[in-house]
């Protein structure tokens, strides 16, 4: 029914593979079922536009500069992320995840753990993008926030199962059968897909004829990246006496890891909104402290370039335009292009994570120098 309705309304026709969301997504979306499809379609579009507005508002709250120019640049850069545009086209829920996580961080930064926990619990209806925030807040010893989020997601899941007449075992069986079918679809298959952002596609693209080597290569990249981020968290927490304070750089790293290590499509780039704010805040910090260096600015420009790859202009325009020249669903995409230009979104996620990691480490050192001199 959805396939035929989607085709008649948007004129985008084709097979949409089955997928299974967790039952906690039912309560927030249940009200749409009481409207005719066209009305629900219109409501869904307006909800996406409102959610995008809240993302821009939250990004400006996190922006440290009060300059109108910086705020304009921030708003335009966030709005141009391809995830927001593509999410609006396909009706995904990723934009709402971006809103919930962004405002969850704002409230957590102000020690409003109950509201932050509620937002995090609701956002868990798309667990691949959210699940890493639970161990992060456990490391930060924000136990109340984690407890509230677990209670929230549990209550929503119970309500979702009850109103649909389903059971937990039935859902698990559906998910077990449905997820492999979803991943084997050409749009999602790691060996064929042109649109996936995560690093799990790197091995299959470089070694399409050797599944074992492909999996080993992807796992190695993911393990190294996770190890570097964990090392940074440990070093920072040990220096700060295991502080409960949350930092924007930490949220950006968790967001990029959430995209990098799990299955991620273009809609997931909405998670990069905090990264835009972080890069602008870092530039403001360097301007105020007159601590520019050629090496550090090169890393900053790398981060900016990686964000630009995820914009609607490059990812949504250039890559999609070039991809239409081949029958990529039939596996006809040339190997050279598969590991170069069409892997740019995955390379950008890896590069952005590493650049934010380097900038966060150097900023931490620079902030400690004035405090040391003042004490002496």
């Amino acid at each position: 029914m959805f396939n035929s309705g989607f085709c008649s309304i948007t004129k985008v026709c084709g097979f949409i593979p089955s997928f299974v969301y967790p039952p906690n997504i039912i309560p927030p979306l249940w009200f749409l079922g009481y409207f005719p499809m066209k009305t629900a379609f219109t409501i869904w579009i307006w909800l996406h536009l409102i959610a995008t507005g809240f993302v821009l508002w939250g990004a400006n709250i996190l922006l440290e500069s009060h300059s109108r120019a910086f705020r304009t640049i921030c708003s335009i850069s966030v709005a141009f992320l391809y995830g927001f545009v593509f999410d609006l086209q396909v009706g995904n829920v990723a934009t709402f995840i971006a809103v919930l996580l962004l405002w969850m961080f704002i409230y957590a930064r102000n020690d409003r753990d109950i509201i932050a926990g509620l937002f995090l619990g609701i956002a868990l209806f798309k667990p691949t993008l959210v699940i890493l925030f639970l161990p992060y807040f456990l490391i930060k010893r924000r136990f109340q926030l984690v407890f509230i989020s677990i209670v929230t997601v549990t209550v929503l899941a119970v309500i979702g199962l009850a109103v649909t007449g389903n059971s937990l075992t039935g859902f698990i069986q559906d998910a077990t059968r449905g997820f492999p079918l979803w991943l084997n679809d050409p749009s999602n298959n790691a060996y064929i897909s042109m649109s996936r952002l995560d690093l799990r596609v790197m091995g299959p693209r470089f070694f399409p004829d050797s599944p074992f080597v492909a999996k080993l290569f992807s796992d190695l990249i993911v393990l190294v990246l996770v190890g570097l981020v964990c090392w940074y968290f440990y070093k920072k927490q040990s220096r700060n006496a295991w502080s409960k304070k949350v930092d924007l750089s930490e949220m950006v790293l968790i967001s990029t890891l959430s995209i990098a290590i799990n299955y991620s499509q273009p809609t997931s780039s909405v998670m990069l909104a905090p990264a835009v704010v972080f890069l602008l805040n870092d530039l403001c910090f360097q301007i105020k402290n007159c601590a520019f260096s050629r090496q550090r600015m090169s890393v900053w420009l790398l981060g900016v370039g990686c964000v630009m790859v995820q914009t609607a202009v490059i990812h949504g325009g250039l890559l999609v335009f070039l991809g239409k020249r081949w029958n990529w669903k039939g596996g006809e995409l040339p190997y050279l292009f598969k590991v170069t230009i069409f892997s740019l979104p995955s390379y950008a996620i890896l590069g952005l994570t590493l650049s934010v990691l380097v900038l966060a480490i150097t900023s931490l050192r620079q902030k400690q120098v004035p405090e040391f001199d003042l004490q002496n």
Side-chain angles (χ1 to χ4, degrees):
M1 290 174 60
F2 173 78
N3 287 344
S4 60
F6 187 77
C7 176
S8 65
I9 294 174
T10 64
K11 307 303 179 186
V12 178
C13 304
F15 173 71
I16 300 176
S18 302
F19 57 93
V20 181
Y21 271 99
N24 48 303
I25 197 176
I26 297 297
L29 305 182
W30 189 256
F31 74 98
L32 287 172
Y34 292 97
F35 296 96
M37 181 171 286
K38 289 189 177 181
T39 305
F41 181 78
T42 303
I43 294 173
W44 196 237
I45 288 178
W46 278 106
L47 288 176
H48 272 80
L49 294 175
I50 293 171
T52 303
F54 273 97
V55 171
L56 298 179
W57 183 17
N60 279 273
I61 290 176
L62 295 176
L63 190 65
E64 295 177 357
S65 173
H66 296 290
S67 167
R68 180 177 296 179
F70 267 89
R71 293 190 177 278
T72 302
I73 293 173
C74 178
S75 299
I76 293 175
S77 301
V78 171
F80 264 74
L81 288 173
Y82 183 48
F84 290 104
V85 180
F86 189 68
D87 191 32
L88 187 60
Q89 291 176 337
V90 300
N92 200 272
V93 295
T95 298
F96 303 107
I97 298 296
V99 172
L100 291 166
L101 290 181
L102 196 61
W103 284 88
M104 175 271 295
F105 176 78
I106 292 172
Y107 281 109
R109 192 179 63 167
N110 295 324
D111 297 323
R112 306 281 295 277
D113 284 1
I114 294 178
I115 300 179
L118 286 171
F119 286 171
L120 181 60
I122 298 172
L124 279 166
F125 62 69
K126 199 173 180 70
T128 55
L129 296 181
V130 182
I131 196 68
L132 289 181
F133 283 95
L134 291 178
Y136 167 68
F137 283 114
L138 286 175
I139 294 174
K140 288 292 182 177
R141 297 181 298 162
R142 306 292 283 267
F143 301 122
Q144 184 184 35
L145 192 157
V146 175
F147 176 75
I148 293 295
S149 65
I150 293 176
V151 170
T152 301
V153 69
T154 303
V155 171
L156 291 176
V158 171
I159 295 174
L161 291 173
V163 298
T164 56
N166 207 338
S167 64
L168 182 60
T169 55
F171 160 72
I172 294 175
Q173 291 174 357
D174 290 341
T176 303
R177 289 193 303 264
F179 195 64
L181 295 175
W182 172 253
L183 286 181
N184 288 329
D185 183 79
S187 299
N188 309 317
N189 188 292
Y191 288 87
I192 300 177
S193 175
M194 187 186 69
S195 57
R196 282 181 58 170
L197 307 179
D198 56 282
L199 301 181
R200 296 289 181 183
V201 301
M202 300 308 300
R205 288 179 179 175
F206 275 94
F207 307 101
D209 300 323
S210 179
F212 175 76
V213 176
K215 186 177 186 306
L216 186 65
F217 184 72
S218 296
D219 290 344
L220 181 62
I221 295 177
V222 169
L223 285 174
V224 170
L225 192 63
V226 172
L228 289 173
V229 174
C230 290
W231 171 80
Y232 167 70
F233 281 168
Y234 173 77
K235 282 291 186 180
K236 185 175 181 182
Q237 284 295 94
S238 59
R239 286 183 181 182
N240 297 335
W242 297 92
S243 170
K244 294 184 177 182
K245 183 180 178 181
V246 295
D247 187 74
L248 182 59
S249 63
E250 298 169 349
M251 183 190 181
V252 174
L253 290 172
I254 295 295
S255 298
T256 54
L257 276 187
S258 299
I259 301 174
I261 68 177
N262 293 311
Y263 159 82
S264 297
Q265 285 283 11
T267 54
S268 301
S269 61
V270 297
M271 297 281 286
L272 300 182
V276 174
V277 181
F278 171 82
L279 291 172
L280 289 174
N281 284 347
D282 186 82
L283 180 62
C284 292
F285 173 77
Q286 293 303 310
I287 293 174
K288 291 179 181 178
N289 291 274
C290 299
F292 282 104
S293 69
R294 183 177 300 175
Q295 295 81 2
R296 199 177 189 285
M297 282 305 300
S298 299
V299 175
W300 186 85
L301 289 173
L302 172 64
V304 172
C306 291
V307 171
M308 290 180 64
V309 171
Q310 301 295 349
T311 60
V313 177
I314 296 179
H315 191 174
L318 179 62
L319 297 186
V320 173
F321 172 76
L322 293 176
K324 292 180 179 179
R325 296 173 59 89
W326 292 276
N327 180 22
W328 59 270
K329 288 188 177 182
E332 297 178 2
L333 198 64
Y335 176 82
L336 181 61
F337 286 161
K338 188 183 294 187
V339 298
T340 53
I341 187 169
F342 290 111
S343 289
L344 282 177
S346 299
Y347 295 149
I349 296 297
L350 178 61
L352 181 61
T353 306
L354 294 176
S355 61
V356 170
L357 196 60
V358 173
L359 293 174
I361 293 172
T362 54
S363 294
L364 185 63
R365 292 172 180 171
Q366 290 176 1
K367 289 177 181 178
Q368 289 180 337
V369 170
E371 296 174 359
F372 179 79
D373 292 338
L374 183 61
Q375 291 174 356
N376 280 273

